[in-house]
Amino acid sequence: MIELGVMFGLMGVTAVALIVKLLRRNRTENVDGLLIEQASRVQAHNNRVTYSSTAVHNPSPTARDYYRP
C-alpha cells in the first residue's frame, strides 16, 4: 500500500513539475519574435514536404535522369 502511495506521489510531483515548466516558458510578446517564429514554422513545413520519405525515395524522373521505362 505504501508503494502505491509513493508511485502516485511521484506521478503527481512529475505532473506538477511539467505544468510549472510549461507555464514558465518564455513567450514571444513582440512582433519581431512572432515573425521569426512564423518564418521558422513555414521553413520547417517546407522541409518536411521536400525531404519526406516519399519525395526522397520516389522522385519523378527529370530530363537529366537516365531513366527509361
Side-chain angles (χ1 to χ4, degrees):
M1 192 65 159
I2 293 173
E3 295 87 3
L4 201 57
V6 169
M7 183 182 76
F8 284 127
L10 288 174
M11 288 173 58
V13 168
T14 304
V16 169
L18 289 173
I19 290 171
V20 169
K21 174 75 172 170
L22 288 174
L23 292 176
R24 293 188 62 197
R25 289 190 317 174
N26 290 335
R27 298 190 187 274
T28 304
E29 301 199 5
N30 57 17
V31 176
D32 295 332
L34 290 174
L35 291 175
I36 291 169
E37 286 182 11
Q38 183 181 14
S40 297
R41 191 173 56 249
V42 168
Q43 182 64 43
H45 171 74
N46 290 338
N47 288 345
R48 282 192 300 271
V49 171
T50 302
Y51 302 113
S52 69
S53 178
T54 304
V56 170
H57 295 294
N58 300 317
S60 300
T62 61
R64 296 187 329 183
D65 289 339
Y66 298 109
Y67 174 78
R68 295 190 183 192

